[in-house]
Amino acid sequence: MKEYMEIYAQNRKKIEAFIEESIENLAPLRAHEENNFKILFSTFPSLELLYVVNSSTKKQTSANIFKYRVDESERDKDRSYLLERLEIKENDFAFAQPYQSSATSNICITVSKKEGSSIVFMDLRLEIILERLGLIEKDKFFSNVTKLFYIFAGYFMMFLSGAAIFYAGSDFFTNLMASKLSIDTIFKPIIAATLGLAIFDLSKTILEQEVYFKSYIKNAKIEIKTLTKFLVTILIALSIETLMVVFKIAIENHDKMLNALYLMIGTSLFILSLSVLIYMTKERS
């Protein structure tokens, strides 16, 4: 779904022009209020929600009107927070960035049309608009299967991260109660907890980007930041493991110090590669 955001950003002017022209053909919109704006729902298959706000009182003067139902509970609610960030153009239109609708849970763009003291807000489902304009070709079954897979993988990884952290805690306290503290019993729980944290961060990113869309605009900086954070966490775990191995070999197996050196060299190369990655991404930004 991140691709939808990118396609929208690349074709924003074309999309906005199409919507504005279509709405202008039906103007004034308030003339269709008596029949709950049915003509708008038939003209825009992407239209999910519509309501009217008075720009003077800053209150919602209509119900929340959906395609097949009307919700009166939102009438007379204060909408000043919407009007404060509304940037109405000279042609009386305003467009919001894509977001996840709290009413329908779909990714929408809100189009606003000012008519006198009233402002008509329309939530349009983004993917349907892109399909209508021929900007995407979507197989609904495949998209649903993909989303379900991401949901399963994301939550399963969260479960594994929780299991790793639980194991770290239980193993440490078991050894603590049994007075069996050693280098192994101290460092191994730290490694397990660190890996659990890395897995949790990765699963959170998958769910946010592919399921819940917390980041609504595709941004390479966000992806690089996520990758860097994940690699740093893995590097910390690897460094702790290297330190533990060096201590064990120094105490018990002096003849295997060369193996410890190889591990330290490998960890150092990891650090060097990560440093180069961070430097290159900063240079590009």
Side-chain angles (χ1 to χ4, degrees):
M1 289 296 184
K2 292 185 296 183
E3 287 77 9
Y4 292 175
M5 312 305 171
E6 189 175 49
I7 293 170
Y8 172 79
Q10 292 173 351
N11 298 274
R12 181 169 180 172
K13 290 184 178 180
K14 177 182 177 180
I15 294 169
E16 290 184 1
F18 166 76
I19 294 172
E20 288 174 4
E21 183 179 353
S22 301
I23 291 176
E24 286 288 6
N25 292 333
L26 299 172
L29 300 181
R30 294 295 305 277
H32 308 289
E33 190 170 3
E34 290 185 3
N35 61 352
N36 289 332
F37 300 96
K38 289 183 180 178
I39 189 171
L40 269 75
F41 285 98
S42 61
T43 303
F44 293 97
S46 58
L47 182 58
E48 293 192 322
L49 170 64
L50 184 148
Y51 54 93
V52 181
V53 176
N54 187 288
S55 59
S56 301
T57 62
K58 299 182 180 181
K59 289 187 177 182
Q60 184 169 327
T61 58
S62 74
N64 272 3
I65 303 171
F66 299 86
K67 189 170 185 177
Y68 298 112
R69 64 185 178 92
V70 175
D71 182 7
E72 291 285 348
S73 63
E74 297 299 313
R75 190 187 292 271
D76 296 326
K77 290 287 183 69
D78 181 37
R79 301 301 182 195
S80 55
Y81 67 94
L82 289 175
L83 301 181
E84 286 172 1
R85 57 192 184 198
L86 200 63
E87 297 181 5
I88 299 178
K89 299 188 290 185
E90 292 181 0
N91 60 357
D92 294 330
F93 280 95
F95 289 81
Q97 289 288 345
Y99 65 99
Q100 187 171 23
S101 170
S102 59
T104 63
S105 299
N106 293 320
I107 304 303
C108 299
I109 56 172
T110 295
V111 183
S112 307
K113 178 68 167 66
K114 190 173 188 298
E115 295 184 346
S117 61
S118 297
I119 302 176
V120 182
F121 287 83
M122 294 164 280
D123 289 353
L124 305 178
R125 189 169 176 179
L126 180 59
E127 61 181 291
I128 297 179
I129 295 174
L130 297 180
E131 284 184 282
R132 180 86 176 268
L133 293 174
L135 297 174
I136 61 169
E137 292 183 6
K138 180 173 176 285
D139 186 295
K140 191 171 183 179
F141 174 76
F142 179 75
S143 298
N144 289 337
V145 170
T146 302
K147 187 174 181 179
L148 286 173
F149 181 82
Y150 277 121
I151 290 173
F152 172 77
Y155 281 110
F156 182 66
M157 290 175 67
M158 278 191 175
F159 170 77
L160 291 179
S161 67
I165 294 174
F166 176 78
Y167 165 79
S170 62
D171 184 66
F172 175 77
F173 284 109
T174 299
N175 286 294
L176 179 64
M177 298 301 293
S179 300
K180 294 181 179 179
L181 289 180
S182 64
I183 291 178
D184 282 348
T185 57
I186 293 175
F187 280 108
K188 282 186 176 179
I190 295 175
I191 294 169
T194 305
L195 290 175
L197 179 61
I199 295 170
F200 178 82
D201 277 336
L202 181 60
S203 63
K204 181 171 71 72
T205 301
I206 289 173
L207 291 172
E208 285 177 352
Q209 296 292 325
E210 303 297 340
V211 180
Y212 298 114
F213 309 102
K214 188 174 181 179
S215 296
Y216 300 124
I217 300 299
K218 188 176 181 180
N219 191 331
K221 291 182 180 179
I222 295 176
E223 295 178 349
I224 291 295
K225 184 179 179 181
T226 302
L227 176 62
T228 303
K229 186 178 180 182
F230 177 74
L231 291 177
V232 166
T233 309
I234 296 298
L235 180 58
I236 292 171
L238 183 60
S239 300
I240 295 171
E241 181 71 27
T242 302
L243 185 63
M244 185 177 70
V245 169
V246 170
F247 283 163
K248 287 183 67 176
I249 290 177
I251 295 172
E252 302 173 2
N253 302 296
H254 296 280
D255 57 323
K256 294 183 179 179
M257 284 299 292
L258 190 60
N259 294 332
L261 177 62
Y262 291 151
L263 185 57
M264 291 176 67
I265 292 173
T267 305
S268 300
L269 289 174
F270 193 164
I271 295 173
L272 181 61
S273 300
L274 184 58
S275 301
V276 171
L277 173 66
I278 294 172
Y279 173 78
M280 290 179 65
T281 52
K282 281 187 176 180
E283 284 291 306
R284 285 162 57 182
S285 60

